[in-house]
Amino acid sequence: GMGIEVVSGLAYVTPYESRSVYRVKKERYNDGLSDEEVLADMFPKSRAQNQPATDSVIFWRGELEAGRAVAVAATSGDLRQLVVTRHVHEQPVIAAECAVIYEDEHLLAVNKPPGLPTLNEIQGVALNTALGRMQHRLGNTCKLVPMHRLDKPVSGVLLMVKTQEGQQVRDPLVRKLQKHITKHKVQKHYVARVLGAFPAHPITCTAPLLWCEGTDRGIASVSMERGKPSETRFELIRVDASTSLVRCHPITGRPHQIRAHLKHIGHPIANDESYGARAHTHT
C-alpha cells in the first residue's frame, strides 16, 4: 500500500506510480492529431507546470517513447485508449483526520478539516485529499463519488456516495443527489470570519463573477460585462473586536464565490490574502 508519514503535523505520502486510463473518441484523430497531440490537448501542463503547449507535445512524445504513456486501439466502437503511468509526488498537507459524521451502506458524510483538498483533478484519487483518505480507508469495497467540493482552506460537511466499480455515473443515489443539488433542494450554509463590523441587516450580493485561470490556482473577480450571474446572501451572527462572524448562504455555486463576494462588499475573510485581507502582523 501507500505510506503516509507525519512530520510536525504534516502528512507526507511516499511517492508512487499511478495508472490512469483515458478513453478518447476516434474523431479526435480524424483531424490528423497524433497521440502526443491528443495528450497535450487533454493535459496542457506537463510536470514542469507552466510550460507552453509545444513543450507539452514534446513532453508527451517522450512519455510515449518511454512507455509511460501507451496507446491501445480499444476493442469496441469509436474509442481509443490511452494508458498513462505517472510517478506521483503529492504535496504534503495537514495531518488532521476527516471525522465521519454519518455512514451507511450507500452514503458517507465527513467533516473535512481546513487545509485538506477535497480531491485532486488530474490523478484521480490522490491520498492527501479528503476523497483519497476516505477511499483508502474503505479499500476496494466501493468507489467513492464526492457530491460537491469544499475549497482547501474551508472546513465542513462533505457528502460522498459509495458506488460499485464502473457504476459511478449510473448510480441512482448519485443521480438523485446531483438533481437535488442542481435544483437547490440542498442548502449550503457557511460561517465566515470577516474583517470589519458587518452591517446588522441581511445583505444579498449579486455581483457577476468571472473565473480567471491564474499561475497558481485561478481567481474569481467581479465583471459586470463578462461575469456569470452569482448570488450570495449574508447575515450577521456577531461583531467582535475587529472582525465579524457572518452566515453565508450561496444561491449559485461559482468557484470562490463567497470569498469574492465578501471582498466585493468590503468585508473580506480575515485570513484570506487572495481576496483582499492584508497579511496581519500582530504586535
Side-chain angles (χ1 to χ4, degrees):
M2 290 183 243
I4 290 191
E5 192 183 344
V6 177
V7 181
S8 53
L10 288 177
Y12 290 83
V13 175
T14 312
Y16 59 92
E17 298 274 289
S18 159
R19 192 169 159 276
S20 310
V21 179
Y22 303 100
R23 291 175 182 82
V24 182
K25 285 196 163 65
K26 287 210 178 103
E27 65 219 33
R28 289 192 76 164
Y29 291 91
N30 295 348
D31 310 329
L33 293 180
S34 60
D35 287 321
E36 56 257 40
E37 286 168 325
V38 168
L39 281 161
D41 184 43
M42 287 164 63
F43 307 105
K45 293 177 181 169
S46 66
R47 276 191 199 133
Q49 277 298 297
N50 300 319
Q51 294 183 343
T54 47
D55 286 6
S56 197
V57 174
I58 294 163
F59 167 79
W60 285 111
R61 187 179 303 146
E63 295 295 282
L64 283 156
E65 284 166 5
R68 285 188 294 271
V70 180
V72 187
T75 44
S76 64
D78 60 344
L79 296 176
R80 184 173 170 81
Q81 292 200 140
L82 296 166
V83 182
V84 176
T85 304
R86 294 182 175 87
H87 185 68
V88 182
H89 285 261
E90 291 194 32
Q91 295 290 321
V93 297
I94 192 160
E97 281 306 304
C98 285
V100 174
I101 302 166
Y102 174 84
E103 183 173 15
D104 61 28
E105 56 188 315
H106 301 298
L107 194 63
L108 177 63
V110 299
N111 184 8
K112 185 185 91 60
L116 184 68
T118 298
L119 45 84
N120 176 344
E121 266 71 17
I122 235 175
Q123 276 124 19
V125 174
L127 205 54
N128 257 344
T129 63
L131 178 64
R133 290 197 189 165
M134 300 323 286
Q135 184 67 66
H136 187 69
R137 168 181 166 269
L138 290 166
N140 296 326
T141 55
C142 63
K143 189 96 173 125
L144 286 174
V145 176
M147 294 316 300
H148 58 108
R149 53 184 305 167
L150 294 170
D151 287 348
K152 186 178 172 182
V154 179
S155 64
V157 180
L158 200 53
L159 282 181
M160 306 181 199
V161 176
K162 299 175 176 180
T163 68
Q164 291 317 300
E165 188 70 57
Q167 291 292 315
Q168 290 90 299
V169 211
R170 290 190 293 279
D171 186 275
L173 185 56
V174 170
R175 288 186 152 177
K176 188 178 172 182
L177 285 174
Q178 276 170 343
K179 205 172 277 178
H180 278 345
I181 289 168
T182 51
K183 292 193 171 162
H184 301 302
K185 287 182 181 171
V186 174
Q187 295 204 347
K188 297 179 185 177
H189 291 270
Y190 297 78
V191 174
R193 181 169 294 286
V194 305
L195 291 181
F198 201 84
H201 57 87
I203 286 181
T204 297
C205 181
T206 55
L209 293 176
L210 179 69
W211 181 255
C212 305
E213 289 299 342
T215 42
D216 186 11
R217 275 188 303 281
I219 202 114
S221 60
V222 170
S223 166
M224 294 303 167
E225 300 78 43
R226 290 161 48 226
K228 290 183 175 172
S230 311
E231 182 180 344
T232 319
R233 295 171 190 169
F234 299 105
E235 205 178 297
L236 177 69
I237 298 171
R238 66 165 188 270
V239 176
D240 297 322
S242 60
T243 61
S244 306
L245 216 53
V246 178
R247 187 176 286 107
C248 317
H249 178 203
I251 307 300
T252 53
R254 310 287 171 215
H256 294 191
Q257 176 178 313
I258 295 173
R259 299 163 69 183
H261 273 176
L262 282 167
K263 175 189 177 181
H264 184 68
I265 60 180
H267 295 278
I269 292 174
N271 61 352
D272 190 353
E273 287 171 36
S274 309
Y275 289 91
R278 298 165 296 290
H280 286 299
T281 44
H282 293 288
T283 45

